Amino acid sequence: MKIMIVEDDALIALELERIVEDAGHELVGTFATSERALAYAMKADAALVDLGLADGQSGAALGRRLIDQNNMKVIYVTGSPAKVGSGIDGAVDVVSKPFSDRRLLDALCKAALPSRREANLAIVR
């Protein structure tokens, strides 16, 4: 799976990169702002998105755009899971910081599964 990381904390971003790559996924890129993430969105299948981004934008709003416009699977990785609120609609999972490798890998496994829409399309074919 091709994954992008949207995280403005460099140390957390490095840890996420390590876990993604060790699991055998392709890292599309790591971005600290929604603008940069949106510029590369077409290259990814899934995104790990923090709620607070370096440009002051909402990670929940970015996640909603990635889901709606790019049919991307979004996993929120946040220190404030309660703030996700209604932005979680359509997201695969919410992983709380601090996170364990196992917890993040479980979320990535969920993202690798076909969505209901994808499964229905496969049945129609």
Side-chain angles (χ1 to χ4, degrees):
M1 192 165 45
K2 296 178 184 177
I3 299 174
M4 67 185 326
I5 296 169
V6 188
E7 170 64 61
D8 60 346
D9 183 306
L11 292 176
I12 293 173
L14 284 172
E15 185 65 9
L16 291 170
E17 288 174 7
R18 180 193 62 78
I19 295 168
V20 165
E21 290 177 332
D22 285 355
H25 298 290
E26 181 181 336
L27 182 64
V28 170
T30 302
F31 313 101
T33 66
S34 57
E35 183 180 338
R36 295 275 297 147
L38 289 169
Y40 286 86
M42 295 300 291
K43 297 182 181 198
D45 303 312
L48 302 174
V49 180
D50 186 18
L51 288 185
L53 304 177
D55 57 4
Q57 298 294 313
S58 161
L62 170 64
R64 182 83 257 148
R65 284 185 70 184
L66 294 172
I67 293 165
D68 291 344
Q69 296 175 4
N70 299 90
N71 198 30
M72 190 177 295
K73 301 210 177 161
V74 171
I75 299 166
Y76 293 109
V77 182
T78 179
S80 305
K83 290 184 179 179
V84 175
S86 63
I88 192 172
D89 294 341
V92 172
D93 207 344
V94 177
V95 176
S96 297
K97 295 176 187 173
F99 53 84
S100 67
D101 288 20
R102 171 70 6 224
R103 178 65 182 99
L104 192 65
L105 290 171
D106 287 346
L108 289 171
C109 284
K110 284 183 191 177
L113 295 172
S115 67
R116 284 186 182 149
R117 181 176 177 265
E118 292 165 337
N120 289 339
L121 288 175
I123 292 170
V124 172
R125 290 183 190 160

PDB file of all heavy atoms in Angstrom, residues 34-54:
ATOM      1  N   SER A  34      -1.238  20.892   5.092  1.00  0.00           N
ATOM      2  CA  SER A  34      -2.298  20.326   4.255  1.00  0.00           C
ATOM      3  C   SER A  34      -2.052  20.606   2.779  1.00  0.00           C
ATOM      4  O   SER A  34      -2.327  19.756   1.932  1.00  0.00           O
ATOM      5  CB  SER A  34      -3.659  20.854   4.696  1.00  0.00           C
ATOM      6  OG  SER A  34      -3.689  22.262   4.663  1.00  0.00           O
ATOM      7  N   GLU A  35      -1.525  21.774   2.467  1.00  0.00           N
ATOM      8  CA  GLU A  35      -1.263  22.128   1.064  1.00  0.00           C
ATOM      9  C   GLU A  35      -0.294  21.144   0.409  1.00  0.00           C
ATOM     10  O   GLU A  35      -0.535  20.667  -0.699  1.00  0.00           O
ATOM     11  CB  GLU A  35      -0.702  23.557   0.977  1.00  0.00           C
ATOM     12  CG  GLU A  35      -0.467  24.021  -0.447  1.00  0.00           C
ATOM     13  CD  GLU A  35       0.079  25.439  -0.513  1.00  0.00           C
ATOM     14  OE1 GLU A  35      -0.094  26.206   0.455  1.00  0.00           O
ATOM     15  OE2 GLU A  35       0.675  25.766  -1.537  1.00  0.00           O
ATOM     16  N   ARG A  36       0.793  20.838   1.092  1.00  0.00           N
ATOM     17  CA  ARG A  36       1.780  19.890   0.545  1.00  0.00           C
ATOM     18  C   ARG A  36       1.159  18.496   0.426  1.00  0.00           C
ATOM     19  O   ARG A  36       1.380  17.798  -0.558  1.00  0.00           O
ATOM     20  CB  ARG A  36       3.022  19.841   1.425  1.00  0.00           C
ATOM     21  CG  ARG A  36       3.803  21.130   1.468  1.00  0.00           C
ATOM     22  CD  ARG A  36       4.795  21.296   0.348  1.00  0.00           C
ATOM     23  NE  ARG A  36       5.804  20.239   0.440  1.00  0.00           N
ATOM     24  CZ  ARG A  36       6.386  19.703  -0.623  1.00  0.00           C
ATOM     25  NH1 ARG A  36       6.112  20.134  -1.816  1.00  0.00           N
ATOM     26  NH2 ARG A  36       7.270  18.741  -0.486  1.00  0.00           N
ATOM     27  N   ALA A  37       0.393  18.110   1.435  1.00  0.00           N
ATOM     28  CA  ALA A  37      -0.234  16.789   1.404  1.00  0.00           C
ATOM     29  C   ALA A  37      -1.198  16.676   0.220  1.00  0.00           C
ATOM     30  O   ALA A  37      -1.193  15.670  -0.494  1.00  0.00           O
ATOM     31  CB  ALA A  37      -0.964  16.527   2.714  1.00  0.00           C
ATOM     32  N   LEU A  38      -1.999  17.698   0.003  1.00  0.00           N
ATOM     33  CA  LEU A  38      -2.952  17.660  -1.109  1.00  0.00           C
ATOM     34  C   LEU A  38      -2.255  17.598  -2.464  1.00  0.00           C
ATOM     35  O   LEU A  38      -2.767  16.988  -3.399  1.00  0.00           O
ATOM     36  CB  LEU A  38      -3.886  18.871  -1.039  1.00  0.00           C
ATOM     37  CG  LEU A  38      -4.907  18.823   0.102  1.00  0.00           C
ATOM     38  CD1 LEU A  38      -5.598  20.170   0.257  1.00  0.00           C
ATOM     39  CD2 LEU A  38      -5.916  17.704  -0.117  1.00  0.00           C
ATOM     40  N   ALA A  39      -1.077  18.192  -2.554  1.00  0.00           N
ATOM     41  CA  ALA A  39      -0.323  18.168  -3.812  1.00  0.00           C
ATOM     42  C   ALA A  39       0.126  16.752  -4.180  1.00  0.00           C
ATOM     43  O   ALA A  39       0.329  16.456  -5.356  1.00  0.00           O
ATOM     44  CB  ALA A  39       0.883  19.099  -3.717  1.00  0.00           C
ATOM     45  N   TYR A  40       0.274  15.879  -3.191  1.00  0.00           N
ATOM     46  CA  TYR A  40       0.739  14.510  -3.430  1.00  0.00           C
ATOM     47  C   TYR A  40      -0.352  13.464  -3.213  1.00  0.00           C
ATOM     48  O   TYR A  40      -0.083  12.264  -3.300  1.00  0.00           O
ATOM     49  CB  TYR A  40       1.933  14.199  -2.525  1.00  0.00           C
ATOM     50  CG  TYR A  40       3.192  14.891  -2.976  1.00  0.00           C
ATOM     51  CD1 TYR A  40       3.470  16.189  -2.573  1.00  0.00           C
ATOM     52  CD2 TYR A  40       4.082  14.262  -3.839  1.00  0.00           C
ATOM     53  CE1 TYR A  40       4.616  16.840  -3.002  1.00  0.00           C
ATOM     54  CE2 TYR A  40       5.228  14.897  -4.266  1.00  0.00           C
ATOM     55  CZ  TYR A  40       5.488  16.196  -3.845  1.00  0.00           C
ATOM     56  OH  TYR A  40       6.622  16.835  -4.288  1.00  0.00           O
ATOM     57  N   ALA A  41      -1.548  13.888  -2.940  1.00  0.00           N
ATOM     58  CA  ALA A  41      -2.627  12.977  -2.573  1.00  0.00           C
ATOM     59  C   ALA A  41      -2.917  11.920  -3.634  1.00  0.00           C
ATOM     60  O   ALA A  41      -3.250  10.782  -3.293  1.00  0.00           O
ATOM     61  CB  ALA A  41      -3.893  13.764  -2.254  1.00  0.00           C
ATOM     62  N   MET A  42      -2.786  12.241  -4.884  1.00  0.00           N
ATOM     63  CA  MET A  42      -3.105  11.289  -5.950  1.00  0.00           C
ATOM     64  C   MET A  42      -2.138  10.109  -5.984  1.00  0.00           C
ATOM     65  O   MET A  42      -2.425   9.091  -6.614  1.00  0.00           O
ATOM     66  CB  MET A  42      -3.113  11.998  -7.309  1.00  0.00           C
ATOM     67  CG  MET A  42      -4.211  13.042  -7.450  1.00  0.00           C
ATOM     68  SD  MET A  42      -5.875  12.361  -7.255  1.00  0.00           S
ATOM     69  CE  MET A  42      -6.000  11.381  -8.728  1.00  0.00           C
ATOM     70  N   LYS A  43      -1.018  10.223  -5.311  1.00  0.00           N
ATOM     71  CA  LYS A  43      -0.003   9.164  -5.340  1.00  0.00           C
ATOM     72  C   LYS A  43      -0.168   8.147  -4.209  1.00  0.00           C
ATOM     73  O   LYS A  43       0.539   7.146  -4.184  1.00  0.00           O
ATOM     74  CB  LYS A  43       1.390   9.783  -5.254  1.00  0.00           C
ATOM     75  CG  LYS A  43       1.698  10.670  -6.441  1.00  0.00           C
ATOM     76  CD  LYS A  43       3.085  11.237  -6.353  1.00  0.00           C
ATOM     77  CE  LYS A  43       3.323  12.138  -7.559  1.00  0.00           C
ATOM     78  NZ  LYS A  43       4.719  12.386  -7.788  1.00  0.00           N
ATOM     79  N   ALA A  44      -1.084   8.397  -3.275  1.00  0.00           N
ATOM     80  CA  ALA A  44      -1.209   7.536  -2.095  1.00  0.00           C
ATOM     81  C   ALA A  44      -2.547   6.811  -2.051  1.00  0.00           C
ATOM     82  O   ALA A  44      -3.548   7.277  -2.591  1.00  0.00           O
ATOM     83  CB  ALA A  44      -1.042   8.377  -0.830  1.00  0.00           C
ATOM     84  N   ASP A  45      -2.528   5.663  -1.382  1.00  0.00           N
ATOM     85  CA  ASP A  45      -3.746   4.891  -1.136  1.00  0.00           C
ATOM     86  C   ASP A  45      -4.329   5.215   0.235  1.00  0.00           C
ATOM     87  O   ASP A  45      -5.526   5.079   0.452  1.00  0.00           O
ATOM     88  CB  ASP A  45      -3.441   3.389  -1.151  1.00  0.00           C
ATOM     89  CG  ASP A  45      -2.809   2.935  -2.457  1.00  0.00           C
ATOM     90  OD1 ASP A  45      -3.332   3.286  -3.526  1.00  0.00           O
ATOM     91  OD2 ASP A  45      -1.773   2.239  -2.388  1.00  0.00           O
ATOM     92  N   ALA A  46      -3.433   5.602   1.162  1.00  0.00           N
ATOM     93  CA  ALA A  46      -3.848   5.849   2.535  1.00  0.00           C
ATOM     94  C   ALA A  46      -3.003   6.966   3.125  1.00  0.00           C
ATOM     95  O   ALA A  46      -1.907   7.248   2.638  1.00  0.00           O
ATOM     96  CB  ALA A  46      -3.703   4.580   3.371  1.00  0.00           C
ATOM     97  N   ALA A  47      -3.533   7.587   4.197  1.00  0.00           N
ATOM     98  CA  ALA A  47      -2.814   8.675   4.861  1.00  0.00           C
ATOM     99  C   ALA A  47      -2.921   8.529   6.368  1.00  0.00           C
ATOM    100  O   ALA A  47      -3.993   8.208   6.894  1.00  0.00           O
ATOM    101  CB  ALA A  47      -3.376  10.026   4.431  1.00  0.00           C
ATOM    102  N   LEU A  48      -1.798   8.783   7.041  1.00  0.00           N
ATOM    103  CA  LEU A  48      -1.767   8.916   8.495  1.00  0.00           C
ATOM    104  C   LEU A  48      -1.772  10.411   8.750  1.00  0.00           C
ATOM    105  O   LEU A  48      -0.859  11.113   8.326  1.00  0.00           O
ATOM    106  CB  LEU A  48      -0.502   8.273   9.065  1.00  0.00           C
ATOM    107  CG  LEU A  48      -0.300   6.796   8.751  1.00  0.00           C
ATOM    108  CD1 LEU A  48       1.054   6.318   9.259  1.00  0.00           C
ATOM    109  CD2 LEU A  48      -1.421   5.962   9.336  1.00  0.00           C
ATOM    110  N   VAL A  49      -2.810  10.924   9.409  1.00  0.00           N
ATOM    111  CA  VAL A  49      -3.010  12.364   9.523  1.00  0.00           C
ATOM    112  C   VAL A  49      -3.116  12.800  10.987  1.00  0.00           C
ATOM    113  O   VAL A  49      -3.946  12.285  11.738  1.00  0.00           O
ATOM    114  CB  VAL A  49      -4.300  12.791   8.772  1.00  0.00           C
ATOM    115  CG1 VAL A  49      -4.515  14.293   8.874  1.00  0.00           C
ATOM    116  CG2 VAL A  49      -4.241  12.357   7.305  1.00  0.00           C
ATOM    117  N   ASP A  50      -2.288  13.770  11.362  1.00  0.00           N
ATOM    118  CA  ASP A  50      -2.374  14.397  12.674  1.00  0.00           C
ATOM    119  C   ASP A  50      -3.474  15.457  12.623  1.00  0.00           C
ATOM    120  O   ASP A  50      -3.796  15.981  11.552  1.00  0.00           O
ATOM    121  CB  ASP A  50      -1.027  15.034  13.026  1.00  0.00           C
ATOM    122  CG  ASP A  50      -0.972  15.583  14.440  1.00  0.00           C
ATOM    123  OD1 ASP A  50      -1.816  15.205  15.274  1.00  0.00           O
ATOM    124  OD2 ASP A  50      -0.078  16.388  14.719  1.00  0.00           O
ATOM    125  N   LEU A  51      -4.033  15.797  13.765  1.00  0.00           N
ATOM    126  CA  LEU A  51      -5.094  16.808  13.788  1.00  0.00           C
ATOM    127  C   LEU A  51      -4.574  18.234  13.680  1.00  0.00           C
ATOM    128  O   LEU A  51      -5.206  19.079  13.063  1.00  0.00           O
ATOM    129  CB  LEU A  51      -5.930  16.678  15.055  1.00  0.00           C
ATOM    130  CG  LEU A  51      -6.856  15.491  15.121  1.00  0.00           C
ATOM    131  CD1 LEU A  51      -7.706  15.557  16.379  1.00  0.00           C
ATOM    132  CD2 LEU A  51      -7.737  15.397  13.898  1.00  0.00           C
ATOM    133  N   GLY A  52      -3.427  18.519  14.289  1.00  0.00           N
ATOM    134  CA  GLY A  52      -2.861  19.864  14.234  1.00  0.00           C
ATOM    135  C   GLY A  52      -1.711  19.911  13.255  1.00  0.00           C
ATOM    136  O   GLY A  52      -0.729  19.188  13.417  1.00  0.00           O
ATOM    137  N   LEU A  53      -1.826  20.740  12.238  1.00  0.00           N
ATOM    138  CA  LEU A  53      -0.785  20.799  11.206  1.00  0.00           C
ATOM    139  C   LEU A  53       0.000  22.101  11.295  1.00  0.00           C
ATOM    140  O   LEU A  53      -0.456  23.083  11.879  1.00  0.00           O
ATOM    141  CB  LEU A  53      -1.429  20.647   9.829  1.00  0.00           C
ATOM    142  CG  LEU A  53      -2.267  19.371   9.651  1.00  0.00           C
ATOM    143  CD1 LEU A  53      -2.906  19.357   8.272  1.00  0.00           C
ATOM    144  CD2 LEU A  53      -1.428  18.131   9.889  1.00  0.00           C
ATOM    145  N   ALA A  54       1.183  22.118  10.705  1.00  0.00           N
ATOM    146  CA  ALA A  54       2.089  23.262  10.804  1.00  0.00           C
ATOM    147  C   ALA A  54       1.502  24.543  10.227  1.00  0.00           C
ATOM    148  O   ALA A  54       1.862  25.638  10.658  1.00  0.00           O
ATOM    149  CB  ALA A  54       3.414  22.946  10.109  1.00  0.00           C
TER     150      ALA A  54
END
